[in-house]
Amino acid sequence: MDLVEKIKAGDVRSTARLISMVERREPEAVAVIKEIYSQCGKAHIIGITGPPGVGKSCLVSALVGSFRKMGKSVGVLAVDPSSPFSGGALLGDRARMIDLTGDRDVFIRSLASRGAHGGLSSAVNDAADIMDVSGKDIVLIETVGVGQGEIEIARLAHTVILALMPGYGDTLQAMKAGIMEIADIMVVNKSDKPGADQTVAELSSVQNYKCDVEGDHWKVPIVKTQALSKEGVDELAQETVNHYDYYKQRSAIGIKNRERRTTQFLDILTLQIRTEFLETLKNDHSLQKWVKMIGDLELDPYTASEQVVEMIRKSR
Ligand SMILES: Nc1nc2c(ncn2[C@@H]2O[C@H](COP(=O)(O)OP(=O)(O)OP(=O)(O)O)[C@@H](O)[C@H]2O)c(=O)[nH]1
Ligand SMILES: [Mg+2]
């Protein structure tokens, strides 16, 4: 059996190998992705995001348990923290997840967030596709932080869970970063701590305002959880299923998928055009003249790019 066949049969080692190849951006990996692409689209992709330390990894572990009880197989992608401050958390995550690894229907992989320029979101896209084709019913993606990069990654999910914990600070931060808008479900984890109900109330006032639309709109549920004791986690799992069903019933999963694929396509295309252009720049004397003029302050880079775009337009 070749690699593609093995992955389709759900072989764990082959799946892990291909994800590593994707992470290292090996050209052979691209060839395999091309081959499996048409078989994507069966998995329900769930993103979980939120400020550091709110309990995302613990929630992921607990959610895996809830989904297994529903008879669903699960792939987990943990996007490693790049910050040296949270570097220690990863080991903790692995240790917490260890009790799940004996199960054949659970596959856990982390992806390092080093390797800049869009490399990560492209690796996450590919890894999610690989888990999908390997037969996982659910693909859970944990991203760290609430920055633009995390928002981009969360966007590839069908269902985005925003995890917060009691305390106004985190809530405010999340609102500022604009991440509230992408949340399909909000979680107040660590609800064993004081102030959980107040945080829920704060969030629901924001949500009511934002979702105060008549007719056919998904009302973002706010779920209280305690990831360590697993309280509320079955309910959270059920809400993700409800959200997916809601979109499916309205044939809106296709729209979500198209949005994801458009972004992915643009990322790949931009990178390819950039590479291609840099190659041309090296060999084309007229382009080098341009670069020289920009360097000598005879032409500004804005006018130069407008002229290049105009040139491309004319050549079409
Ligand atoms: N009291 C309480 N502590 C919790 C709960 N859930 C998680 N924790 C603790 O919160 C800490 C952080 O949990 P993680 O799951 O690593 O949090 P995270 O959001 O994944 O953290 P990063 O990946 O570093 O952003 C750990 O010490 C957990 O034991 C909870 O429901 N209640
Ligand atoms: Mg974590």
Side-chain angles (χ1 to χ4, degrees):
M1 265 202 294
D2 69 354
L3 190 57
V4 173
E5 290 307 314
K6 282 185 183 159
I7 286 158
K8 283 201 283 189
D11 180 64
V12 175
R13 285 182 60 182
S14 307
T15 308
R17 209 182 110 208
L18 182 57
I19 294 177
S20 300
M21 284 161 67
V22 154
E23 198 179 21
R24 290 193 299 265
R25 319 200 74 180
E26 287 177 21
E28 295 95 307
V30 174
V32 181
I33 298 291
K34 285 179 186 173
E35 221 177 311
I36 62 173
Y37 187 75
S38 64
Q39 285 127 76
C40 293
K42 295 184 193 82
H44 174 195
I45 304 177
I46 301 168
I48 176 159
T49 189
V54 296
K56 296 179 295 295
S57 300
C58 294
L59 276 172
V60 165
S61 297
L63 275 171
V64 170
S66 302
F67 287 127
R68 294 297 298 125
K69 276 193 275 176
M70 295 178 182
K72 294 175 190 288
S73 58
V74 192
V76 176
L77 276 175
V79 180
D80 279 7
S82 53
S83 150
F85 299 109
S86 43
L90 178 68
L91 272 178
D93 292 353
R94 286 220 173 102
R96 274 192 292 279
M97 284 178 166
I98 224 109
D99 58 318
L100 301 166
T101 48
D103 186 342
R104 237 196 126 263
D105 287 314
V106 179
F107 183 94
I108 297 166
R109 214 11 248 268
S110 51
L111 287 176
S113 52
R114 59 186 143 75
H117 55 261
L120 183 66
S121 83
S122 133
V124 175
N125 258 301
D126 291 342
D129 283 343
I130 294 162
M131 287 190 175
D132 179 354
V133 172
S134 83
K136 294 290 172 278
D137 300 313
I138 305 273
V139 176
L140 262 173
I141 304 172
E142 178 195 344
T143 67
V144 175
V146 285
Q148 200 53 46
E150 290 74 27
I151 293 178
E152 284 314 312
I153 289 166
R155 260 189 228 288
L156 76 89
H158 298 115
T159 305
V160 177
I161 301 173
L162 172 63
L164 298 165
M165 64 182 190
Y168 188 64
D170 285 330
T171 317
L172 192 71
Q173 240 187 328
M175 286 191 290
K176 269 194 201 150
I179 204 163
M180 302 288 260
E181 282 107 76
I182 67 157
D184 299 305
I185 298 167
M186 295 207 272
V187 177
V188 178
N189 188 43
K190 304 197 188 184
S191 63
D192 49 305
K193 299 220 175 216
D197 288 326
Q198 200 198 325
T199 303
V200 170
E202 275 164 26
L203 291 173
S204 56
S205 68
V206 177
Q207 265 334 108
N208 281 344
Y209 168 69
K210 275 178 57 189
C211 285
D212 190 21
V213 193
E214 335 126 291
D216 205 21
H217 279 81
W218 170 257
K219 183 153 169 41
V220 176
I222 303 166
V223 186
K224 271 200 299 186
T225 58
Q226 295 176 28
L228 299 178
S229 69
K230 299 186 169 48
E231 206 175 301
V233 177
D234 282 345
E235 189 193 337
L236 174 60
Q238 189 53 52
E239 287 292 3
T240 66
V241 173
N242 294 349
H243 178 258
Y244 193 59
D245 288 346
Y246 180 93
Y247 273 84
K248 260 202 316 217
Q249 280 156 17
R250 286 155 186 79
S251 310
I253 284 295
I255 298 170
K256 284 225 167 207
N257 286 338
R258 271 196 294 281
E259 279 170 7
R260 168 190 170 193
R261 296 309 186 181
T262 305
T263 310
Q264 186 191 15
F265 173 45
L266 272 178
D267 283 349
I268 295 169
L269 189 65
T270 309
L271 197 69
Q272 211 152 2
I273 289 176
R274 195 187 150 88
T275 313
E276 194 76 21
F277 188 75
L278 286 176
E279 200 53 41
T280 315
L281 198 60
K282 261 198 287 182
N283 306 318
D284 189 320
H285 284 295
S286 63
L287 281 177
Q288 279 166 11
K289 252 182 260 167
W290 237 325
V291 174
K292 187 175 180 307
M293 277 162 73
I294 297 168
D296 294 344
L297 311 183
E298 285 162 20
L299 182 68
D300 69 273
Y302 291 99
T303 308
S305 10
E306 279 162 20
Q307 288 176 2
V308 171
V309 170
E310 193 51 37
M311 212 169 65
I312 295 171
R313 217 176 261 149
K314 276 192 186 134
S315 73
R316 267 204 312 234

